[in-house]
Structures are given as structure tokens and as C-alpha cells.
Amino acid sequence: MKRRKFLQYTAATGLGLLGSGLGFGARASAEPGALPGTTGTAGAHTAAPHMPLHIPGDSGLLGMLDITTEHLTLDAHNTTLRLRQNTPSPFQVWSAKYAGKDYQNPIIRIKTGQHFNARLQNNLNEPNIIHWHGLHIPGDMDGQPRSMIDPGGHFDYAFDVPNRSGMYWYHSHAHHHTAQQVYFGLAGIYMVEDEDERALRNALQIEPGLNEIPLIIQDRQFNSAGELTYAFNPMQHHMGQLGDTILVNLTPHPKLEITNRLYRFRVLNGSNSRIYKLAFVHGDKMLPYSIIGTDAGLLERAHVTQQEYISPGERLDIVFDASQLRAGDEVYLKSLAFDPLEGGTMLGMGELMGGVSGWGGTEGARLDLGAEFEIMKIAVTRESPARPSGMIPPKLSTIARIDTGGAVRRDVRLTVRRMLWLINGETFTPDRYPLQSRSNTIELWDIQNAEMSMPHPMHMHGFSFQVVQRSNSPSQVRALAQDENGRLITDLGWKDTILVWPGETVRIATDFTHPYKGDQIYLFHCHNLEHEDQGMMVNHLVTAA
Ligand code: C2O
Ligand code: CU
Ligand code: CU
């Protein structure tokens, strides 16, 4: 596979030369206007092609919205957003007015046990539904294809949040529109807080919006005018959409200025299909960083690493200690090179992937899956005042191991036939229930990417699970294993999405006990959103005890 160097990629796309602040247009693609509160950089940094990272505040785009008893309405609509070259690009958002403030795709913040009440108002001209990724809520509140609402319609959500603290997220799940709607903006963060979380913030002495910063990483494709494009040939559709511009919090070519103290980065891979291998690179050195949490909250303790994979749908809670740096130092958050096909057995696939690089359809260079590139520049601009900075506490949380003695065993096979990705031979059929479990039952699933050519990030609705074992992992994955079961650091906490590499089998344990009345319908699917939309998804019926 041919890999392009990042510099070539930057030169080819002219990234950021005409960078500007993020700016919304008016609703429904009318004349665009500037979004108040964002800083334009046009003209100011012609020599430095980076844009300031958009850091969520307490309103506006990705603003932090604390749920109170006030009712929330999320209004789905078309708009424009100035992402690149000061060009209004077609975009879709959920906007809200809450506690007197305006939000677009808010970071919804709520406490464990709190009630959540919201209306989705669909003002798009296509179906829409919001799925609350990772939440343990009843099937009819989960936001699935069967709950899709038509243009002009609405859906009322009401549930208690049972989850432990963690960075969950919400996104469109309108079948056949999911990939495109997420691509054009319909995704946000759902932050749950509990006692562990409060204790951690105290110990770290961090504050959201200041030194605790969510990083939503997404790759996108732009045309030469600077508009988002989602057009692809059949092969790109089959493999998954890749873009050659990396956005963090919707900022292309972002730069973050920090002081030399502890930072917490809460990373969501919100990309349609791109996998990242995260590293903080200073000169020619990789700096150590700590993983403190995974999809569904904190690990028991921090684990130090230098590189970790994150696939679409997964989250990583990272503490980066910048006290190892000095003012003037520059660090790059990068995705390191890897081979997405290692372990694959379909030899023709490499050729096909190579072919994707040169396809027409949109302008600009392609960035291969597994290529090395910069995600974000981090510049240490000031030394921290000499006060004791926080520390990672030795114990973060408690994770009770699921007792798998007597568990029900199940094989879940990921295959491909005639360009269709399948789960146990099935493609998504609304009235079929290929996976059936009983409440009050513990199951062990062997998810096998047996004959496969591509990694698949597999996601379970309604429950969190634990990774028991990885077997037959490609060497680049095995190299990061923490124990004799082949598990990675990211496998040591509660998960809802798990990357299964070519040739690999991942064994997961789930306790399907739930408190809800009657049978519950959930989903199990690939979170490569093009795979999902093509039907790499099955209903999962969890019958009442
Ligand atoms: Cu994040 Cu069914 O999806
Ligand atoms: Cu989900
Ligand atoms: Cu897949």
C-alpha cells in the first residue's frame, strides 16, 4: 500500500492557508452569517497554517449544557458552517435553546441517576432519530431505525440515566442516512458524572473548558471551494468514507496552546471509518501519556502508554502531563502508521485499497487508512505558575469482573459476500432478530473476523461489556498487549465498541440483566458507518427474565 507523507498531503491540499474561525450560517442554507464568539484568524497567521482548536464553552457550537429540570428540545436542521477557506459549507446540526442560551450540538452534561427529558424536532427534509450511544436505557428510548421520524415530526425521549460516569455520545441512527448525517454534523457528546468523576477532578485539579478538553476527531473531505463533500465511488462506499482533512472539534488543522501542567483530553473518534493510532510526538520522541478511562468510564487505575488505537465510536480518557515540557516546546498529537490489512487473507484487498487513493469524485488528495499524519499541534506557551499541580490518584474506580462461570457461549462471525458485510450471515432486516439473549444471563461472545480483510469496530447497544481475550491478533496489535490474554489497555475497562482486526477473535463478556419491563430490542453493528448503513447490523432481542 502506498503511503503519502503528511507534508505532501498538507502541501497538496493547501490546508489552512485561508483558515478562519468556525462560523455558522443562518438556518436552511440562507445567507451565511458569522457565529458570534468565534475568533477568525484570516490574515493573522498566513505563515502558520494552524487554526485555534475550538474549545467548547458554555454555549454555542459544542457548548456545555447542564441538564436541569428545564425541558430540552433538539432541533435538527440544515445550516451552513464555515469550516475551511471561510466558505460556508453545507452542515446539519441539532440546535437548542436552554437556560437562556443557544447551542448547536451541545455537550449534554448530566449526573448518574438523573432524569433526561428531551424532544427531537425533525426539521430536516429527510428522516432523523437520535441514538444515545452507550446508555443503558430501554430499547424504545434508544433511538433506533425503527423509531425514525419523518420530516416535520418529533420524538419524545424520557429516561433515567443509569450509567456510571463517562463520555458517551449521541448521533443520528436514521438507517441509510446515518453515515451521511453524522458526516455532515449530527453528532455530539453526552457526559455523565458520578462520585468517582468528582473525586478525580479534585485530584487532578482540572476544570472542563480550561484543562479538561474533549477532542472529537473526525476526518472529512472538502472540495476546492472549501465545502464538505460526501461523494464516493462504490469501493469507497464498501470500505468506508475517508477524508484527508482531520477535524478536531470541527477545527481543521487545529492548534492548542497549553501551559506545562496536567491536561485531560477526552477523545471521541467520531469518524465514519478512520482508525487512529494516537501518540504525542515531541521532536523524534514519543511522550508517555496515561489512559484513565475507556468507552464507559474510568479504569480502575491509570496505565501509561505511548501509542493506542481508537476506532470509530470508541472513547479514550487521556491524561497528558505537560510538566515534562517547557515554554516554547511544540508537541504533535499524531496518528502513527499502521497496516489496516495486517492479518487479512483476501489478497486482492490491498490492491483495492490502493485503488481508492486515486479515485475521482471529489477534489484533493486522499489520505490512506493507516497513513501517518498530524491530528493537532500542541504548543506550550507559558510555564505554569509554581503551585502544586494535581496528580492522578492511584485508584480511579472499581470495576467488578463479570463472573463468566456457566456463561452462555455464542459465536459472532463477521464475513463478506458479494460486497455485503454480514454478521452471522445476516444483513440488517428490520423484522429479524438474529441475536437473542435473556435478561439475567451472562454471555460470552467470540466475535470472529475470520476470513476478513478489514478491521471492524463492533458496537453493542444497551449494555456495556468486558473484554476477556484477544486471540490471533495481528502483530501490531499483539505488540501493545498488556496480559497473557492479549488485551490492550483500552480493553481493561467497560466497553461498548470494540475493534476486531483482520483474522482476530475477541471474546467479550456481557451481563444482560436489565431492569426494564418486557422484551427489549437493541442492536449490534459495525460502527464503520458506511458498513452499518449497508446493513452490517442486526437486531438483538433481550427477552424479559
Ligand atoms: Cu453509536 Cu448504533 O451506534
Ligand atoms: Cu450505540
Ligand atoms: Cu465493518
Side-chain angles (χ1 to χ4, degrees):
M1 231 168 93
K2 198 174 132 243
R3 301 208 190 288
R4 246 174 246 97
K5 290 256 167 53
F6 179 71
L7 279 177
Q8 289 170 302
Y9 141 70
T10 315
T13 56
L15 249 185
L17 288 174
L18 290 161
S20 81
L22 301 168
F24 266 107
R27 294 175 57 108
S29 319
E31 258 320 280
L35 180 70
T38 58
T39 354
T41 59
H45 298 283
T46 30
H50 285 90
M51 282 174 66
L53 174 74
H54 177 64
I55 297 176
D58 61 3
S59 66
L61 182 62
L62 309 179
M64 294 179 278
L65 185 161
D66 289 310
I67 294 295
T68 61
T69 52
E70 185 175 325
H71 188 265
L72 173 67
T73 297
L74 292 162
D75 168 6
H77 60 96
N78 290 309
T79 182
T80 59
L81 181 61
R82 294 168 187 273
L83 289 161
R84 274 196 47 192
Q85 298 166 346
N86 213 21
T87 305
S89 171
F91 205 73
Q92 298 182 321
V93 289
W94 288 298
S95 60
K97 265 198 200 320
Y98 202 77
K101 291 180 191 145
D102 287 314
Y103 296 87
Q104 299 88 26
N105 295 349
I107 296 181
I108 295 171
R109 302 202 301 181
I110 197 161
K111 296 188 173 51
T112 299
Q114 207 179 327
H115 189 69
F116 182 68
N117 220 307
R119 166 169 291 193
L120 164 64
Q121 178 63 45
N122 183 9
N123 290 322
L124 299 169
N125 39 29
E126 55 195 29
N128 189 229
I129 193 70
I130 296 177
H131 165 58
W132 314 97
H133 179 127
L135 296 191
H136 305 166
I137 51 180
D140 58 3
M141 288 291 127
D142 190 42
Q144 302 174 11
R146 67 198 169 89
S147 304
M148 281 197 306
I149 49 170
D150 288 330
H154 60 82
F155 189 96
D156 287 320
Y157 295 94
F159 52 82
D160 295 327
V161 175
N163 291 65
R164 68 203 288 264
S165 65
M167 190 171 88
Y168 304 90
W169 65 302
Y170 60 101
H171 60 78
S172 167
H173 220 303
H175 196 46
H176 299 309
H177 301 272
T178 301
Q180 196 157 337
Q181 290 186 354
V182 171
Y183 188 90
F184 279 98
L186 291 179
I189 286 173
Y190 199 94
M191 212 59 107
V192 180
E193 273 185 37
D194 63 9
E195 279 308 321
D196 286 343
E197 176 59 33
R198 285 186 278 277
L200 175 69
R201 282 215 179 110
N202 272 333
L204 293 176
Q205 296 175 24
I206 47 165
E207 214 184 296
L210 189 61
N211 30 44
E212 176 185 320
I213 301 169
L215 303 177
I216 305 172
I217 305 178
Q218 296 169 312
D219 61 328
R220 294 292 183 259
Q221 190 72 14
F222 292 86
N223 64 17
S224 57
E227 296 163 329
L228 269 180
T229 54
Y230 184 81
F232 44 72
N233 64 15
M235 188 47 61
Q236 179 81 345
H237 189 52
H238 179 65
M239 309 293 281
Q241 168 89 18
L242 295 170
D244 60 14
T245 300
I246 310 299
L247 307 183
V248 182
N249 301 345
L250 298 170
T251 314
H253 216 32
K255 174 182 167 179
L256 174 66
E257 299 192 341
I258 62 169
T259 61
N260 60 340
R261 70 171 324 271
L262 279 189
Y263 278 78
R264 182 185 189 188
F265 296 124
R266 307 188 74 174
V267 182
L268 162 67
N269 182 348
S271 307
N272 281 34
S273 79
R274 188 179 290 280
I275 299 159
Y276 303 83
K277 189 181 196 181
L278 299 182
F280 292 87
V281 180
H282 181 220
D284 52 10
K285 277 205 325 269
M286 285 195 287
L287 301 178
Y289 62 94
S290 300
I291 306 282
I292 60 167
T294 54
D295 298 347
L298 296 171
L299 293 169
E300 292 208 287
R301 64 175 180 86
H303 291 259
V304 177
T305 187
Q306 294 189 333
Q307 43 186 315
E308 227 52 58
Y309 294 102
I310 182 167
S311 68
E314 287 189 297
R315 285 87 73 206
L316 269 185
D317 202 342
I318 289 176
V319 171
F320 177 68
D321 186 359
S323 67
Q324 55 194 319
L325 300 166
R326 291 288 154 265
D329 282 348
E330 291 178 348
V331 175
Y332 291 87
L333 174 61
K334 277 188 154 190
S335 185
L336 303 179
F338 63 91
D339 180 358
L341 307 180
E342 190 191 352
T345 52
M346 278 173 65
L347 294 171
M349 226 54 186
E351 307 266 313
L352 294 175
M353 291 284 289
V356 169
S357 302
W359 65 279
T362 62
E363 301 150 82
R366 305 296 307 172
L367 186 63
D368 291 337
L369 184 59
E372 178 175 332
F373 52 85
E374 173 192 326
I375 297 170
M376 182 172 76
K377 178 176 177 174
I378 301 172
V380 184
T381 51
R382 291 182 313 276
E383 307 262 336
S384 235
R387 63 182 169 82
S389 148
M391 288 213 326
I392 303 178
K395 185 169 158 61
L396 300 169
S397 186
T398 305
I399 295 178
R401 280 283 129 203
I402 294 176
D403 178 3
T404 55
V408 173
R409 305 290 290 262
R410 190 187 295 275
D411 285 335
V412 179
R413 291 180 51 84
L414 314 178
T415 58
V416 64
R417 292 288 176 273
R418 281 183 234 98
M419 299 287 279
L420 268 190
W421 303 104
L422 305 172
I423 299 173
N424 280 350
E426 303 266 350
T427 186
F428 184 64
T429 313
D431 56 359
R432 283 185 56 77
Y433 299 88
L435 294 175
Q436 300 194 10
S437 305
R438 292 176 61 83
S439 182
N440 298 328
T441 302
I442 288 166
E443 296 198 14
L444 278 173
W445 292 11
D446 280 333
I447 310 172
Q448 306 164 23
N449 195 346
E451 66 184 40
M452 271 313 91
S453 48
M454 262 194 91
H456 296 286
M458 301 307 296
H459 169 53
M460 182 189 285
H461 282 222
F463 302 87
S464 305
F465 55 79
Q466 293 178 353
V467 180
V468 175
Q469 187 176 48
R470 280 182 191 269
S471 39
N472 203 26
S473 307
S475 62
Q476 62 190 352
V477 176
R478 170 72 47 176
L480 301 180
Q482 298 294 302
D483 60 20
E484 65 290 350
N485 293 318
R487 295 185 304 166
L488 313 177
I489 291 172
T490 49
D491 295 332
L492 302 178
W494 286 104
K495 296 288 292 171
D496 55 52
T497 307
I498 191 80
L499 186 60
V500 188
W501 291 85
E504 196 180 35
T505 296
V506 180
R507 179 173 296 170
I508 62 169
T510 318
D511 182 346
F512 288 111
T513 303
H514 66 75
Y516 306 119
K517 276 222 178 65
D519 296 351
Q520 301 297 317
I521 301 169
Y522 296 108
L523 294 164
F524 182 72
H525 64 84
C526 182
H527 222 289
N528 176 319
L529 295 180
E530 280 71 32
H531 293 191
E532 173 185 335
D533 262 350
Q534 289 163 69
M536 195 177 186
M537 171 161 78
V538 288
N539 282 317
H540 178 202
L541 182 69
V542 182
T543 58

